[in-house]
Amino acid sequence: MIGKCLDMSMSSKTSSHKQNAHHMTLGMYSSWDALRKLEWEISVYKSVMDPKDSPSDKLSRDIRKPMYAAINASITGWHLVEWVWYEINGIPQRKSGFLEMLTLPGNAGLSQIKDEIRKIPEFNATHQIAHASKHSHLEKITEGFSTPVFINVW
């Protein structure tokens, strides 16, 4: 079905620099779209973690649902940094204000921004969860950081 709606052809050409990939997002074109996606994912997480559940409801709930919802929200939350960066990078006033807010020099790039943002515990948590859930091995693991384990299904 999706193949009928989308051009699913793949090019063998690749590039070493990052290119705009909005045409591959199923309709997400801006950081506002990514923010709305994050808001939706947070609402999904809240709906599967309803504190009004009785103890028996909590035991019968598929515990993977909140885990998956938390992972999805973390992935979107972390990558929202990139969405914002690529939008403001070409607008000097917004870029300088963003870098000033982070107390970074005017020539700072995305990797420096990510390093600075990782100093904020909540953003670091989204980074660790997003990348660990996608890659299983990380280059930049924060010493002492861990998450609760929802369930060991193995």
Side-chain angles (χ1 to χ4, degrees), residues 74 118 120-131 142 145 147:
S74 294
R118 272 193 291 269
I120 302 167
E122 294 82 2
F123 275 102
N124 183 57
T126 64
H127 169 260
Q128 298 293 309
I129 294 166
H131 288 280
T142 302
F145 178 82
T147 63

Side-chain angles (χ1 to χ4, degrees), residues 1-123:
M1 171 104 159
I2 290 178
K4 292 180 181 178
C5 300
L6 303 173
D7 177 6
M8 301 299 280
S9 63
M10 296 182 67
S11 170
S12 60
K13 296 180 182 178
T14 59
S15 174
S16 61
H17 70 282
K18 292 195 177 192
Q19 298 177 17
N20 184 323
H22 294 161
H23 62 287
M24 299 179 196
T25 63
L26 299 175
M28 280 185 28
Y29 297 107
S30 72
S31 61
W32 290 107
D33 294 328
L35 180 61
R36 283 189 285 277
K37 180 177 181 279
L38 176 59
E39 289 171 336
W40 177 79
E41 289 170 345
I42 290 169
S43 73
V44 169
Y45 178 78
K46 287 178 178 178
S47 74
V48 296
M49 292 298 288
D50 189 347
K52 294 177 276 191
D53 283 351
S54 70
S56 61
D57 288 339
K58 289 180 182 177
L59 289 174
S60 66
R61 180 192 311 125
D62 182 351
I63 198 67
R64 291 170 293 204
K65 288 180 181 179
M67 176 181 65
Y68 296 156
I71 289 169
N72 288 341
S74 294
I75 291 169
T76 301
W78 176 250
H79 288 92
L80 188 54
V81 173
E82 289 184 14
W83 280 88
V84 169
W85 170 250
Y86 285 111
E87 284 182 14
I88 67 169
N89 192 31
I91 306 169
Q93 288 176 317
R94 288 190 180 170
K95 178 182 175 182
S96 65
F98 187 66
L99 294 174
E100 185 177 312
M101 178 185 69
L102 295 172
T103 64
L104 289 171
N107 62 349
L110 183 57
S111 69
Q112 288 172 288
I113 289 167
K114 287 181 175 181
D115 287 343
E116 190 66 24
I117 288 175
R118 272 193 291 269
K119 294 177 184 176
I120 302 167
E122 294 82 2
F123 275 102

